[in-house]
Amino acid sequence: EIVMTQSPATLSMSPGERATLSCRASQGVSSKLAWYQQKPGQAPRLLIYGASTRATGIPARFSGSGSGTEFALTISSLQSEDFAVYYCQQYNNWFALSFGGGTKVEIK
Amino acid sequence: QLQLQGSGPGLVYPSETLSLTCTVPGVSISRSSYYWGWIRQPPGKGPEWIGSISSSGSTYYKSSLKSRVIITVDTSKNQFSLKVNSVTAADTALYYCVRHDGTVIRGGIVDYWGQGTLVTVSS
């Protein structure tokens, strides 16, 4: 199983600031990496796939980068609705999908 | 907008079988390019993929759960189901039914999630 490790566990930020979240895979996953956002009481929502392609309806302030084992999600200017938990997921081996433990972006 | 509606008991006794069903109204799940799966999320933790099934019945399971899990599909009812046997407290989680892509390039991208069903394993 490919293990996904996210850092930091919690990111304390102010609205308007730039946030960068990291995700590392235990082995190379090419660009088959997705990011999801989860708000309290809701299911995760797809933000990014293919490491850098925004899903339908996702604002341009969200961007993804990386390939192989190191990935990042950047939120260029945090809006109030962006404070949530973010998960990365590899699908390079999609018969054995795996998710990271999450990064919580909280209001400072 | 696709909807996935999970249902099943919220309480299961230890050593018994957890059974959940997901209904997909208004859309035929027979479309071959998609897989239908189950993902669970223990309280305060990240999601964990359990397994997936194609409309033709091909199944894939997480290796550590494979001996206890069965996923089936009933295309006539537009439903797919999950059974986990010999449950313990470690199986307590929010269980989501999901759809993910099944193509070579996009296979594994989860684009639709159900609302989640909280299952507690306790005596």
Side-chain angles (χ1 to χ4, degrees):
Chain A
E1 177 185 340
I2 299 174
V3 177
M4 307 301 293
T5 303
Q6 292 186 243
S7 61
T10 304
L11 203 52
S12 296
M13 309 287 294
S14 298
E17 287 190 312
R18 180 185 185 91
T20 300
L21 290 64
S22 296
C23 174
R24 173 177 292 177
S26 62
Q27 57 186 272
V29 298
S30 185
S31 294
K32 296 196 172 181
L33 191 284
W35 290 93
Y36 299 83
Q37 176 194 66
Q38 187 176 34
K39 297 180 179 179
Q42 297 182 15
R45 175 177 70 142
L46 178 66
L47 292 178
I48 300 279
Y49 63 92
S52 61
T53 302
R54 283 188 299 277
T56 302
I58 302 303
R61 62 181 181 272
F62 290 93
S63 62
S65 61
S67 67
T69 61
E70 301 284 344
F71 300 88
L73 174 70
T74 299
I75 310 171
S76 60
S77 177
L78 281 164
Q79 305 298 302
S80 58
E81 61 267 30
D82 300 336
F83 291 93
V85 181
Y86 294 83
Y87 296 100
C88 62
Q89 175 230 340
Q90 67 79 23
Y91 55 96
N92 188 55
N93 178 3
W94 70 263
F95 301 143
L97 302 176
S98 52
F99 292 81
T103 291
K104 181 180 182 180
V105 179
E106 65 176 22
I107 299 176
K108 189 173 182 180
Chain B
Q1 180 79 352
L2 184 72
Q3 290 189 348
L4 290 88
Q5 300 173 349
S7 61
L11 178 65
V12 182
Y13 295 114
S15 80
E16 297 200 340
T17 298
L18 178 162
S19 296
L20 298 174
T21 295
C22 187
T23 300
V24 188
V27 172
S28 172
I29 66 172
S30 298
R31 184 173 174 180
S32 61
S33 62
Y34 292 107
Y35 274 65
W36 307 91
W38 293 91
I39 290 172
R40 69 182 182 182
Q41 187 171 27
K45 296 187 177 181
E48 176 186 35
W49 173 75
I50 299 170
S52 303
I53 190 167
S54 70
S55 58
S56 63
S58 298
T59 51
Y60 304 94
Y61 302 120
K62 180 169 182 166
S63 56
S64 61
L65 297 172
K66 191 173 184 177
S67 63
R68 299 194 295 127
V69 170
I70 297 176
I71 296 175
T72 56
V73 65
D74 186 339
T75 54
S76 68
K77 295 183 179 179
N78 240 31
Q79 293 179 339
F80 57 103
S81 299
L82 170 72
K83 290 188 186 298
V84 182
N85 58 38
S86 305
V87 297
T88 70
D91 294 308
T92 293
L94 190 58
Y95 284 75
Y96 292 102
C97 52
V98 302
R99 184 186 86 167
H100 69 79
D101 200 285
T103 60
V104 171
I105 294 176
R106 293 171 52 102
I109 298 172
V110 182
D111 56 359
Y112 285 97
W113 302 65
Q115 82 282 9
T117 300
L118 180 60
V119 178
T120 301
V121 178
S122 175
S123 57

